[in-house]
Amino acid sequence: RGGQMRRMKLLRPDDVSVRLQLSRAATYKLLSSGAFPVVRFGRSVRVDERDFEDWIETRKVTSVPTG
């Protein structure tokens, strides 16, 4: 085919946990909340790295509220 297939990098929950500096339990809660799309196969859960990065981008703020 003429189009080029995008190579998807899938992150494991532990990868997400490290990147967000969250506990394992908090990470699984976030993944099960539907905050961003996940890929499920059997009992395994993975996150497309691009979806994860897009999710991070939508949460960036220019200032942090004080007190």
Side-chain angles (χ1 to χ4, degrees):
R1 298 189 178 206
Q4 186 158 350
M5 187 174 196
R6 174 177 81 87
R7 186 156 181 97
M8 183 185 303
K9 180 176 180 188
L10 297 176
L11 304 174
R12 295 172 299 136
D14 287 344
D15 299 326
V16 174
S17 179
V18 168
R19 290 182 183 201
L20 294 178
Q21 299 178 3
L22 291 175
S23 70
R24 185 180 177 104
T27 300
Y28 275 95
K29 186 174 182 178
L30 179 65
L31 294 177
S32 67
S33 75
F36 46 83
V38 297
V39 178
R40 295 186 184 272
F41 45 97
R43 294 181 58 174
S44 297
V45 176
R46 300 290 187 269
V47 176
D48 182 333
E49 186 175 44
R50 284 195 354 184
D51 289 337
F52 177 75
E53 290 171 353
D54 289 347
W55 181 81
I56 292 292
E57 286 296 319
T58 64
R59 276 144 188 81
K60 284 187 178 179
V61 295
T62 57
S63 64
V64 177
T66 57

